[in-house]
Amino acid sequence: MPASALALVADKQKPQAVPRAFCAAEVVVLKFGSSVLRNAAEAPAVASEIYGHVRAGRKVVAVVSALSGHTDRLLADARALGLDHENELLPAYVVLGEEKAAALVAIACDRVGLDAVGLSVRELGIVVEGPAQHARPVSLKGERLQQALAEHEVVVVPGFGGVRSNGRVALLGRGGSDLTAVVLAAELGLDRVRLVKDVDGLYDRDPACETGTPLRYRRASWDTARQLGGALVQHDAIDLGMEHGVEIEVAALGRAEGTVVGERGAPPGPVQPHAPLRVALAGCGVVGGGLLNRLLPDKRYEVVGVLVRNPAKKRDVAAPADLFTNDVEGLLAKKPDLLLEALSEGEAGHALIRRALEAGCDVVSANKQAVARDPAGLQALAAANGCRVAWSASVGGGAPMIETLRAARAAGPVAGFEAVLNGTVNFMLQRLGEGAAFADALADARVAGFAEEDPSSDLEGHDAAAKVKLLSFEAFGRAPADLPRDELSADTPLGDKPVRQIGACHDRGGHLDASVRLDGDLKDALFQSLNGERNALKVYGQDGRVWTCKGRGAGRWATTESVLADVADVVRARRAAAELV
């Protein structure tokens, strides 16, 4: 096994590097500081940042600091017992703040359907030497990290701490989570690490200053970062990045642009401020309510209205009453930049999407029945009016099925696909297999937030059929003419074996052979492993390659996350287009 990338100690002490071939997927290291993880309520926004990378096909190592103020409170606890700053037992107590934050972020990732695991400082295995409060990293015992990355999409680890040769925990100095992130990037053979801060890069002066116009660096040299970075980036992290050729990207949460610190610098320039995106929302049920909950406190967005049947109805999300309306034209008259369509009815949703696109408004939809009616027509209408339409959340909830199919098709012709596509039905099938009565299984699905008030679209296979059509459009550029469906009811014989609802479509010599079946003879390990509302997709290339993805296929937060990822893509496209004008 090759020597560690750190190579900071004598040959006899050189550590073991993480093998480069442990994971086929691209790996990124993201660090989230206490300025963006101020309290537990910020964890979903951190999960959103992570979700965007996973949706793009990457695995993520997320390094987190303690919640804002938590380290100081832990230090105060210890001092109250008479422990001074150099006590060697103190670091193990202090890093509990980072470990708690890592567990919290892992939970937030799991809520949106990401396959995440959290590690402790000892499990992570950064070996350090030197003072207990400001030790320096010398190696990484990477076996546990290797295993976690091989088995999971996201590995959340605590920053700031390492383990000395005597087994005791030591700290990496103030801002040490930056150093943790750079160490891991170097050990994983990466050429860049991303530090997510509360500012969108490195400026020539404090962006909050009242005099002059702060200029942001697009690229900054190592020396410039040391001179101007102040407390923004730990100097030890800058030194290690320079020594091992790991560029340090400083950016804000939810922002693509930032500052890259490395060998080359460039003069700073003015930053064009971005006005909040004006957003209209259609529907305030399971998904719409989740979106409203996330958008209202986010300063990047201004919610201008919410389209509902009954504006006076009591909602499960706190929002100003004057936002709600049943007037479509009145809503569009407010000139939203973006419409988020989360209605439960296909025809009305399709008509609304068309009306918004005709008005030049970008659209993101979670309504598979609406989009599946004419996906090619919607794309053409968007292009004709200079806007965008996206619908990833309409298939698979939090599982990135659209992105997976597009990646497969970009690699070559697709032969077919099979998928578990309906979280409600999969959840009910598990409950029925455990002996629950049909009525109880349906009631449980409603309580869990998976089943709508009228579940007929799920139970009769219409929901899965619409998703098969959309996936077929992505795979073959067209939808099947015939799509037989099995229905799930109290009278459906299920037998003794686990049953899954499988949607499939295969190209049989130009003919699309598609169906939605209740399969009680499962042989595929991926589909056998799915529990509850989990969905999964398997895409077969004509060259024999196979692409897969899985995630939560139903529920407020998983689907909300998928919509927000589409929103982020739309925002990036809007800004890129604006720069060309």
Side-chain angles (χ1 to χ4, degrees), residues 401-402 404-406 408-410 412-417 467-479 505-507 512 537 539-540 542:
M401 293 190 177
I402 296 291
T404 299
L405 240 171
R406 288 174 180 171
R409 190 175 183 185
V414 171
F417 63 84
K467 294 172 181 177
V468 169
K469 289 179 180 179
L470 269 176
L471 291 176
S472 297
F473 173 74
E474 298 290 348
F476 309 113
R478 56 197 175 98
C505 186
H506 296 271
D507 185 348
L512 296 185
L537 168 71
V539 184
Y540 303 93
Q542 289 186 7

PDB file of all heavy atoms in Angstrom, residues 401-402 404-406 408-410 412-417 467-479 505-507 512 537 539-540 542:
ATOM      1  N   MET A 401     -33.544   9.461 -10.275  1.00  0.00           N
ATOM      2  CA  MET A 401     -33.764   8.542 -11.390  1.00  0.00           C
ATOM      3  C   MET A 401     -33.595   9.221 -12.743  1.00  0.00           C
ATOM      4  O   MET A 401     -33.015   8.646 -13.674  1.00  0.00           O
ATOM      5  CB  MET A 401     -35.152   7.915 -11.268  1.00  0.00           C
ATOM      6  CG  MET A 401     -35.296   7.004 -10.071  1.00  0.00           C
ATOM      7  SD  MET A 401     -36.837   6.064 -10.120  1.00  0.00           S
ATOM      8  CE  MET A 401     -36.645   5.047  -8.648  1.00  0.00           C
ATOM      9  N   ILE A 402     -34.124  10.435 -12.888  1.00  0.00           N
ATOM     10  CA  ILE A 402     -33.984  11.149 -14.155  1.00  0.00           C
ATOM     11  C   ILE A 402     -32.503  11.365 -14.475  1.00  0.00           C
ATOM     12  O   ILE A 402     -32.047  11.119 -15.593  1.00  0.00           O
ATOM     13  CB  ILE A 402     -34.717  12.497 -14.094  1.00  0.00           C
ATOM     14  CG1 ILE A 402     -36.237  12.290 -13.916  1.00  0.00           C
ATOM     15  CG2 ILE A 402     -34.422  13.327 -15.334  1.00  0.00           C
ATOM     16  CD1 ILE A 402     -36.932  11.710 -15.106  1.00  0.00           C
ATOM     17  N   THR A 404     -29.950   9.663 -13.380  1.00  0.00           N
ATOM     18  CA  THR A 404     -29.295   8.383 -13.648  1.00  0.00           C
ATOM     19  C   THR A 404     -29.561   7.924 -15.076  1.00  0.00           C
ATOM     20  O   THR A 404     -28.643   7.467 -15.782  1.00  0.00           O
ATOM     21  CB  THR A 404     -29.792   7.322 -12.647  1.00  0.00           C
ATOM     22  OG1 THR A 404     -29.466   7.744 -11.317  1.00  0.00           O
ATOM     23  CG2 THR A 404     -29.142   5.974 -12.916  1.00  0.00           C
ATOM     24  N   LEU A 405     -30.803   8.071 -15.523  1.00  0.00           N
ATOM     25  CA  LEU A 405     -31.123   7.662 -16.889  1.00  0.00           C
ATOM     26  C   LEU A 405     -30.429   8.549 -17.914  1.00  0.00           C
ATOM     27  O   LEU A 405     -29.948   8.076 -18.947  1.00  0.00           O
ATOM     28  CB  LEU A 405     -32.639   7.684 -17.089  1.00  0.00           C
ATOM     29  CG  LEU A 405     -33.243   6.324 -17.470  1.00  0.00           C
ATOM     30  CD1 LEU A 405     -34.749   6.335 -17.444  1.00  0.00           C
ATOM     31  CD2 LEU A 405     -32.746   5.887 -18.839  1.00  0.00           C
ATOM     32  N   ARG A 406     -30.354   9.839 -17.633  1.00  0.00           N
ATOM     33  CA  ARG A 406     -29.674  10.736 -18.558  1.00  0.00           C
ATOM     34  C   ARG A 406     -28.188  10.405 -18.640  1.00  0.00           C
ATOM     35  O   ARG A 406     -27.587  10.471 -19.723  1.00  0.00           O
ATOM     36  CB  ARG A 406     -29.890  12.189 -18.133  1.00  0.00           C
ATOM     37  CG  ARG A 406     -31.317  12.674 -18.386  1.00  0.00           C
ATOM     38  CD  ARG A 406     -31.554  14.067 -17.830  1.00  0.00           C
ATOM     39  NE  ARG A 406     -32.934  14.496 -18.091  1.00  0.00           N
ATOM     40  CZ  ARG A 406     -33.489  15.592 -17.587  1.00  0.00           C
ATOM     41  NH1 ARG A 406     -32.779  16.378 -16.778  1.00  0.00           N
ATOM     42  NH2 ARG A 406     -34.740  15.910 -17.874  1.00  0.00           N
ATOM     43  N   ALA A 408     -26.901   7.416 -18.175  1.00  0.00           N
ATOM     44  CA  ALA A 408     -26.798   6.169 -18.923  1.00  0.00           C
ATOM     45  C   ALA A 408     -26.948   6.414 -20.423  1.00  0.00           C
ATOM     46  O   ALA A 408     -26.189   5.887 -21.241  1.00  0.00           O
ATOM     47  CB  ALA A 408     -27.867   5.192 -18.443  1.00  0.00           C
ATOM     48  N   ARG A 409     -27.914   7.246 -20.772  1.00  0.00           N
ATOM     49  CA  ARG A 409     -28.157   7.505 -22.199  1.00  0.00           C
ATOM     50  C   ARG A 409     -26.993   8.278 -22.817  1.00  0.00           C
ATOM     51  O   ARG A 409     -26.645   8.068 -23.987  1.00  0.00           O
ATOM     52  CB  ARG A 409     -29.463   8.281 -22.381  1.00  0.00           C
ATOM     53  CG  ARG A 409     -29.896   8.357 -23.834  1.00  0.00           C
ATOM     54  CD  ARG A 409     -31.236   9.018 -24.005  1.00  0.00           C
ATOM     55  NE  ARG A 409     -31.661   9.009 -25.397  1.00  0.00           N
ATOM     56  CZ  ARG A 409     -32.743   9.607 -25.853  1.00  0.00           C
ATOM     57  NH1 ARG A 409     -33.542  10.263 -25.022  1.00  0.00           N
ATOM     58  NH2 ARG A 409     -33.058   9.552 -27.130  1.00  0.00           N
ATOM     59  N   ALA A 410     -26.378   9.171 -22.026  1.00  0.00           N
ATOM     60  CA  ALA A 410     -25.224   9.915 -22.535  1.00  0.00           C
ATOM     61  C   ALA A 410     -24.045   8.991 -22.820  1.00  0.00           C
ATOM     62  O   ALA A 410     -23.204   9.284 -23.671  1.00  0.00           O
ATOM     63  CB  ALA A 410     -24.813  10.990 -21.529  1.00  0.00           C
ATOM     64  N   GLY A 412     -24.358   5.872 -23.958  1.00  0.00           N
ATOM     65  CA  GLY A 412     -24.657   4.980 -25.065  1.00  0.00           C
ATOM     66  C   GLY A 412     -26.130   4.595 -25.087  1.00  0.00           C
ATOM     67  O   GLY A 412     -26.889   4.943 -24.174  1.00  0.00           O
ATOM     68  N   PRO A 413     -26.577   3.866 -26.101  1.00  0.00           N
ATOM     69  CA  PRO A 413     -27.987   3.484 -26.198  1.00  0.00           C
ATOM     70  C   PRO A 413     -28.438   2.651 -25.005  1.00  0.00           C
ATOM     71  O   PRO A 413     -27.702   1.807 -24.492  1.00  0.00           O
ATOM     72  CB  PRO A 413     -28.047   2.659 -27.499  1.00  0.00           C
ATOM     73  CG  PRO A 413     -26.843   3.082 -28.277  1.00  0.00           C
ATOM     74  CD  PRO A 413     -25.795   3.396 -27.270  1.00  0.00           C
ATOM     75  N   VAL A 414     -29.679   2.881 -24.577  1.00  0.00           N
ATOM     76  CA  VAL A 414     -30.267   2.170 -23.446  1.00  0.00           C
ATOM     77  C   VAL A 414     -31.095   0.997 -23.965  1.00  0.00           C
ATOM     78  O   VAL A 414     -31.885   1.150 -24.899  1.00  0.00           O
ATOM     79  CB  VAL A 414     -31.146   3.119 -22.602  1.00  0.00           C
ATOM     80  CG1 VAL A 414     -31.930   2.351 -21.550  1.00  0.00           C
ATOM     81  CG2 VAL A 414     -30.268   4.181 -21.947  1.00  0.00           C
ATOM     82  N   ALA A 415     -30.923  -0.169 -23.344  1.00  0.00           N
ATOM     83  CA  ALA A 415     -31.705  -1.345 -23.721  1.00  0.00           C
ATOM     84  C   ALA A 415     -33.022  -1.414 -22.947  1.00  0.00           C
ATOM     85  O   ALA A 415     -34.023  -1.929 -23.459  1.00  0.00           O
ATOM     86  CB  ALA A 415     -30.899  -2.613 -23.478  1.00  0.00           C
ATOM     87  N   GLY A 416     -33.026  -0.918 -21.711  1.00  0.00           N
ATOM     88  CA  GLY A 416     -34.251  -0.975 -20.919  1.00  0.00           C
ATOM     89  C   GLY A 416     -33.981  -0.599 -19.482  1.00  0.00           C
ATOM     90  O   GLY A 416     -32.848  -0.307 -19.086  1.00  0.00           O
ATOM     91  N   PHE A 417     -35.035  -0.591 -18.693  1.00  0.00           N
ATOM     92  CA  PHE A 417     -34.902  -0.291 -17.265  1.00  0.00           C
ATOM     93  C   PHE A 417     -35.985  -1.009 -16.483  1.00  0.00           C
ATOM     94  O   PHE A 417     -37.041  -1.377 -17.016  1.00  0.00           O
ATOM     95  CB  PHE A 417     -34.980   1.220 -16.994  1.00  0.00           C
ATOM     96  CG  PHE A 417     -36.306   1.846 -17.365  1.00  0.00           C
ATOM     97  CD1 PHE A 417     -37.392   1.819 -16.489  1.00  0.00           C
ATOM     98  CD2 PHE A 417     -36.473   2.469 -18.597  1.00  0.00           C
ATOM     99  CE1 PHE A 417     -38.612   2.392 -16.831  1.00  0.00           C
ATOM    100  CE2 PHE A 417     -37.693   3.042 -18.951  1.00  0.00           C
ATOM    101  CZ  PHE A 417     -38.761   3.001 -18.066  1.00  0.00           C
ATOM    102  N   LYS A 467     -44.787   7.395 -14.315  1.00  0.00           N
ATOM    103  CA  LYS A 467     -43.338   7.462 -14.126  1.00  0.00           C
ATOM    104  C   LYS A 467     -42.601   6.598 -15.149  1.00  0.00           C
ATOM    105  O   LYS A 467     -41.532   6.979 -15.643  1.00  0.00           O
ATOM    106  CB  LYS A 467     -42.984   7.038 -12.699  1.00  0.00           C
ATOM    107  CG  LYS A 467     -43.500   8.009 -11.645  1.00  0.00           C
ATOM    108  CD  LYS A 467     -43.309   7.470 -10.241  1.00  0.00           C
ATOM    109  CE  LYS A 467     -43.851   8.440  -9.200  1.00  0.00           C
ATOM    110  NZ  LYS A 467     -43.751   7.907  -7.818  1.00  0.00           N
ATOM    111  N   VAL A 468     -43.173   5.440 -15.478  1.00  0.00           N
ATOM    112  CA  VAL A 468     -42.576   4.611 -16.533  1.00  0.00           C
ATOM    113  C   VAL A 468     -42.547   5.384 -17.851  1.00  0.00           C
ATOM    114  O   VAL A 468     -41.556   5.346 -18.592  1.00  0.00           O
ATOM    115  CB  VAL A 468     -43.343   3.281 -16.689  1.00  0.00           C
ATOM    116  CG1 VAL A 468     -42.908   2.544 -17.956  1.00  0.00           C
ATOM    117  CG2 VAL A 468     -43.124   2.385 -15.471  1.00  0.00           C
ATOM    118  N   LYS A 469     -43.623   6.094 -18.141  1.00  0.00           N
ATOM    119  CA  LYS A 469     -43.672   6.874 -19.382  1.00  0.00           C
ATOM    120  C   LYS A 469     -42.597   7.958 -19.393  1.00  0.00           C
ATOM    121  O   LYS A 469     -41.928   8.181 -20.417  1.00  0.00           O
ATOM    122  CB  LYS A 469     -45.053   7.495 -19.559  1.00  0.00           C
ATOM    123  CG  LYS A 469     -46.146   6.488 -19.885  1.00  0.00           C
ATOM    124  CD  LYS A 469     -47.491   7.173 -20.029  1.00  0.00           C
ATOM    125  CE  LYS A 469     -48.594   6.175 -20.356  1.00  0.00           C
ATOM    126  NZ  LYS A 469     -49.932   6.832 -20.474  1.00  0.00           N
ATOM    127  N   LEU A 470     -42.428   8.638 -18.258  1.00  0.00           N
ATOM    128  CA  LEU A 470     -41.405   9.686 -18.199  1.00  0.00           C
ATOM    129  C   LEU A 470     -40.003   9.102 -18.330  1.00  0.00           C
ATOM    130  O   LEU A 470     -39.151   9.650 -19.047  1.00  0.00           O
ATOM    131  CB  LEU A 470     -41.531  10.453 -16.885  1.00  0.00           C
ATOM    132  CG  LEU A 470     -42.432  11.676 -16.898  1.00  0.00           C
ATOM    133  CD1 LEU A 470     -42.543  12.277 -15.508  1.00  0.00           C
ATOM    134  CD2 LEU A 470     -41.916  12.718 -17.888  1.00  0.00           C
ATOM    135  N   LEU A 471     -39.744   8.000 -17.659  1.00  0.00           N
ATOM    136  CA  LEU A 471     -38.437   7.364 -17.778  1.00  0.00           C
ATOM    137  C   LEU A 471     -38.205   6.839 -19.191  1.00  0.00           C
ATOM    138  O   LEU A 471     -37.080   6.878 -19.711  1.00  0.00           O
ATOM    139  CB  LEU A 471     -38.302   6.234 -16.753  1.00  0.00           C
ATOM    140  CG  LEU A 471     -38.221   6.663 -15.281  1.00  0.00           C
ATOM    141  CD1 LEU A 471     -38.195   5.438 -14.366  1.00  0.00           C
ATOM    142  CD2 LEU A 471     -37.000   7.539 -15.025  1.00  0.00           C
ATOM    143  N   SER A 472     -39.256   6.361 -19.820  1.00  0.00           N
ATOM    144  CA  SER A 472     -39.145   5.900 -21.210  1.00  0.00           C
ATOM    145  C   SER A 472     -38.795   7.055 -22.136  1.00  0.00           C
ATOM    146  O   SER A 472     -37.989   6.912 -23.066  1.00  0.00           O
ATOM    147  CB  SER A 472     -40.455   5.250 -21.657  1.00  0.00           C
ATOM    148  OG  SER A 472     -40.741   4.101 -20.893  1.00  0.00           O
ATOM    149  N   PHE A 473     -39.396   8.208 -21.876  1.00  0.00           N
ATOM    150  CA  PHE A 473     -39.064   9.398 -22.664  1.00  0.00           C
ATOM    151  C   PHE A 473     -37.578   9.740 -22.507  1.00  0.00           C
ATOM    152  O   PHE A 473     -36.895  10.063 -23.484  1.00  0.00           O
ATOM    153  CB  PHE A 473     -39.941  10.571 -22.234  1.00  0.00           C
ATOM    154  CG  PHE A 473     -39.562  11.876 -22.872  1.00  0.00           C
ATOM    155  CD1 PHE A 473     -39.858  12.122 -24.205  1.00  0.00           C
ATOM    156  CD2 PHE A 473     -38.897  12.850 -22.148  1.00  0.00           C
ATOM    157  CE1 PHE A 473     -39.506  13.331 -24.809  1.00  0.00           C
ATOM    158  CE2 PHE A 473     -38.535  14.057 -22.737  1.00  0.00           C
ATOM    159  CZ  PHE A 473     -38.842  14.297 -24.070  1.00  0.00           C
ATOM    160  N   GLU A 474     -37.085   9.663 -21.272  1.00  0.00           N
ATOM    161  CA  GLU A 474     -35.675   9.955 -21.040  1.00  0.00           C
ATOM    162  C   GLU A 474     -34.775   8.902 -21.678  1.00  0.00           C
ATOM    163  O   GLU A 474     -33.696   9.218 -22.183  1.00  0.00           O
ATOM    164  CB  GLU A 474     -35.391  10.024 -19.533  1.00  0.00           C
ATOM    165  CG  GLU A 474     -36.135  11.116 -18.788  1.00  0.00           C
ATOM    166  CD  GLU A 474     -35.636  12.512 -19.128  1.00  0.00           C
ATOM    167  OE1 GLU A 474     -34.566  12.625 -19.764  1.00  0.00           O
ATOM    168  OE2 GLU A 474     -36.309  13.488 -18.760  1.00  0.00           O
ATOM    169  N   ALA A 475     -35.211   7.638 -21.669  1.00  0.00           N
ATOM    170  CA  ALA A 475     -34.379   6.550 -22.181  1.00  0.00           C
ATOM    171  C   ALA A 475     -34.424   6.430 -23.698  1.00  0.00           C
ATOM    172  O   ALA A 475     -33.400   6.163 -24.338  1.00  0.00           O
ATOM    173  CB  ALA A 475     -34.812   5.225 -21.551  1.00  0.00           C
ATOM    174  N   PHE A 476     -35.627   6.594 -24.261  1.00  0.00           N
ATOM    175  CA  PHE A 476     -35.815   6.281 -25.687  1.00  0.00           C
ATOM    176  C   PHE A 476     -36.347   7.456 -26.505  1.00  0.00           C
ATOM    177  O   PHE A 476     -36.514   7.334 -27.717  1.00  0.00           O
ATOM    178  CB  PHE A 476     -36.791   5.100 -25.833  1.00  0.00           C
ATOM    179  CG  PHE A 476     -36.437   3.916 -24.989  1.00  0.00           C
ATOM    180  CD1 PHE A 476     -37.247   3.528 -23.935  1.00  0.00           C
ATOM    181  CD2 PHE A 476     -35.282   3.186 -25.234  1.00  0.00           C
ATOM    182  CE1 PHE A 476     -36.936   2.440 -23.146  1.00  0.00           C
ATOM    183  CE2 PHE A 476     -34.957   2.089 -24.442  1.00  0.00           C
ATOM    184  CZ  PHE A 476     -35.781   1.714 -23.398  1.00  0.00           C
ATOM    185  N   GLY A 477     -36.660   8.567 -25.824  1.00  0.00           N
ATOM    186  CA  GLY A 477     -37.212   9.715 -26.537  1.00  0.00           C
ATOM    187  C   GLY A 477     -38.676   9.586 -26.870  1.00  0.00           C
ATOM    188  O   GLY A 477     -39.244  10.412 -27.581  1.00  0.00           O
ATOM    189  N   ARG A 478     -39.325   8.545 -26.351  1.00  0.00           N
ATOM    190  CA  ARG A 478     -40.750   8.324 -26.599  1.00  0.00           C
ATOM    191  C   ARG A 478     -41.320   7.445 -25.496  1.00  0.00           C
ATOM    192  O   ARG A 478     -40.573   6.801 -24.747  1.00  0.00           O
ATOM    193  CB  ARG A 478     -40.984   7.664 -27.960  1.00  0.00           C
ATOM    194  CG  ARG A 478     -40.230   6.360 -28.144  1.00  0.00           C
ATOM    195  CD  ARG A 478     -40.147   5.940 -29.609  1.00  0.00           C
ATOM    196  NE  ARG A 478     -39.314   4.759 -29.785  1.00  0.00           N
ATOM    197  CZ  ARG A 478     -39.791   3.521 -29.887  1.00  0.00           C
ATOM    198  NH1 ARG A 478     -41.122   3.310 -29.849  1.00  0.00           N
ATOM    199  NH2 ARG A 478     -38.982   2.492 -30.060  1.00  0.00           N
ATOM    200  N   ALA A 479     -42.631   7.434 -25.397  1.00  0.00           N
ATOM    201  CA  ALA A 479     -43.305   6.653 -24.367  1.00  0.00           C
ATOM    202  C   ALA A 479     -43.977   5.439 -25.000  1.00  0.00           C
ATOM    203  O   ALA A 479     -44.343   5.458 -26.180  1.00  0.00           O
ATOM    204  CB  ALA A 479     -44.341   7.509 -23.653  1.00  0.00           C
ATOM    205  N   CYS A 505     -39.573  -1.029 -18.699  1.00  0.00           N
ATOM    206  CA  CYS A 505     -39.721  -0.807 -20.138  1.00  0.00           C
ATOM    207  C   CYS A 505     -38.437  -1.250 -20.827  1.00  0.00           C
ATOM    208  O   CYS A 505     -37.339  -0.861 -20.407  1.00  0.00           O
ATOM    209  CB  CYS A 505     -40.001   0.671 -20.437  1.00  0.00           C
ATOM    210  SG  CYS A 505     -40.359   1.003 -22.185  1.00  0.00           S
ATOM    211  N   HIS A 506     -38.577  -2.077 -21.859  1.00  0.00           N
ATOM    212  CA  HIS A 506     -37.431  -2.585 -22.607  1.00  0.00           C
ATOM    213  C   HIS A 506     -37.677  -2.367 -24.095  1.00  0.00           C
ATOM    214  O   HIS A 506     -38.818  -2.482 -24.583  1.00  0.00           O
ATOM    215  CB  HIS A 506     -37.218  -4.070 -22.336  1.00  0.00           C
ATOM    216  CG  HIS A 506     -36.858  -4.364 -20.909  1.00  0.00           C
ATOM    217  ND1 HIS A 506     -35.563  -4.378 -20.460  1.00  0.00           N
ATOM    218  CD2 HIS A 506     -37.641  -4.643 -19.828  1.00  0.00           C
ATOM    219  CE1 HIS A 506     -35.550  -4.656 -19.168  1.00  0.00           C
ATOM    220  NE2 HIS A 506     -36.795  -4.827 -18.758  1.00  0.00           N
ATOM    221  N   ASP A 507     -36.608  -2.059 -24.796  1.00  0.00           N
ATOM    222  CA  ASP A 507     -36.668  -1.902 -26.248  1.00  0.00           C
ATOM    223  C   ASP A 507     -36.481  -3.277 -26.880  1.00  0.00           C
ATOM    224  O   ASP A 507     -35.393  -3.854 -26.827  1.00  0.00           O
ATOM    225  CB  ASP A 507     -35.568  -0.945 -26.704  1.00  0.00           C
ATOM    226  CG  ASP A 507     -35.643  -0.636 -28.192  1.00  0.00           C
ATOM    227  OD1 ASP A 507     -36.392  -1.321 -28.916  1.00  0.00           O
ATOM    228  OD2 ASP A 507     -34.942   0.298 -28.634  1.00  0.00           O
ATOM    229  N   LEU A 512     -41.461  -0.890 -27.698  1.00  0.00           N
ATOM    230  CA  LEU A 512     -41.282  -0.667 -26.273  1.00  0.00           C
ATOM    231  C   LEU A 512     -42.222  -1.568 -25.494  1.00  0.00           C
ATOM    232  O   LEU A 512     -43.439  -1.436 -25.563  1.00  0.00           O
ATOM    233  CB  LEU A 512     -41.538   0.806 -25.914  1.00  0.00           C
ATOM    234  CG  LEU A 512     -40.578   1.831 -26.536  1.00  0.00           C
ATOM    235  CD1 LEU A 512     -40.874   3.223 -25.991  1.00  0.00           C
ATOM    236  CD2 LEU A 512     -39.118   1.455 -26.287  1.00  0.00           C
ATOM    237  N   LEU A 537     -33.868   2.189  -9.092  1.00  0.00           N
ATOM    238  CA  LEU A 537     -33.883   2.093 -10.550  1.00  0.00           C
ATOM    239  C   LEU A 537     -32.655   1.334 -11.008  1.00  0.00           C
ATOM    240  O   LEU A 537     -31.556   1.513 -10.465  1.00  0.00           O
ATOM    241  CB  LEU A 537     -33.870   3.501 -11.168  1.00  0.00           C
ATOM    242  CG  LEU A 537     -33.611   3.601 -12.678  1.00  0.00           C
ATOM    243  CD1 LEU A 537     -34.810   3.083 -13.464  1.00  0.00           C
ATOM    244  CD2 LEU A 537     -33.295   5.047 -13.058  1.00  0.00           C
ATOM    245  N   VAL A 539     -30.848   0.586 -14.775  1.00  0.00           N
ATOM    246  CA  VAL A 539     -30.848   0.891 -16.214  1.00  0.00           C
ATOM    247  C   VAL A 539     -29.835  -0.008 -16.902  1.00  0.00           C
ATOM    248  O   VAL A 539     -28.685  -0.127 -16.450  1.00  0.00           O
ATOM    249  CB  VAL A 539     -30.488   2.371 -16.472  1.00  0.00           C
ATOM    250  CG1 VAL A 539     -30.594   2.680 -17.964  1.00  0.00           C
ATOM    251  CG2 VAL A 539     -31.378   3.308 -15.669  1.00  0.00           C
ATOM    252  N   TYR A 540     -30.256  -0.623 -17.981  1.00  0.00           N
ATOM    253  CA  TYR A 540     -29.401  -1.540 -18.738  1.00  0.00           C
ATOM    254  C   TYR A 540     -28.972  -0.883 -20.051  1.00  0.00           C
ATOM    255  O   TYR A 540     -29.810  -0.500 -20.883  1.00  0.00           O
ATOM    256  CB  TYR A 540     -30.138  -2.841 -19.051  1.00  0.00           C
ATOM    257  CG  TYR A 540     -30.647  -3.559 -17.822  1.00  0.00           C
ATOM    258  CD1 TYR A 540     -31.943  -3.337 -17.361  1.00  0.00           C
ATOM    259  CD2 TYR A 540     -29.835  -4.437 -17.113  1.00  0.00           C
ATOM    260  CE1 TYR A 540     -32.432  -3.992 -16.235  1.00  0.00           C
ATOM    261  CE2 TYR A 540     -30.304  -5.090 -15.985  1.00  0.00           C
ATOM    262  CZ  TYR A 540     -31.600  -4.853 -15.545  1.00  0.00           C
ATOM    263  OH  TYR A 540     -32.075  -5.499 -14.421  1.00  0.00           O
ATOM    264  N   GLN A 542     -27.132  -1.003 -23.792  1.00  0.00           N
ATOM    265  CA  GLN A 542     -27.007  -2.015 -24.844  1.00  0.00           C
ATOM    266  C   GLN A 542     -25.619  -2.645 -24.858  1.00  0.00           C
ATOM    267  O   GLN A 542     -25.445  -3.746 -25.387  1.00  0.00           O
ATOM    268  CB  GLN A 542     -27.318  -1.391 -26.206  1.00  0.00           C
ATOM    269  CG  GLN A 542     -28.795  -1.048 -26.395  1.00  0.00           C
ATOM    270  CD  GLN A 542     -29.103  -0.575 -27.807  1.00  0.00           C
ATOM    271  OE1 GLN A 542     -28.248  -0.626 -28.700  1.00  0.00           O
ATOM    272  NE2 GLN A 542     -30.331  -0.099 -28.018  1.00  0.00           N
TER     273      GLN A 542
END
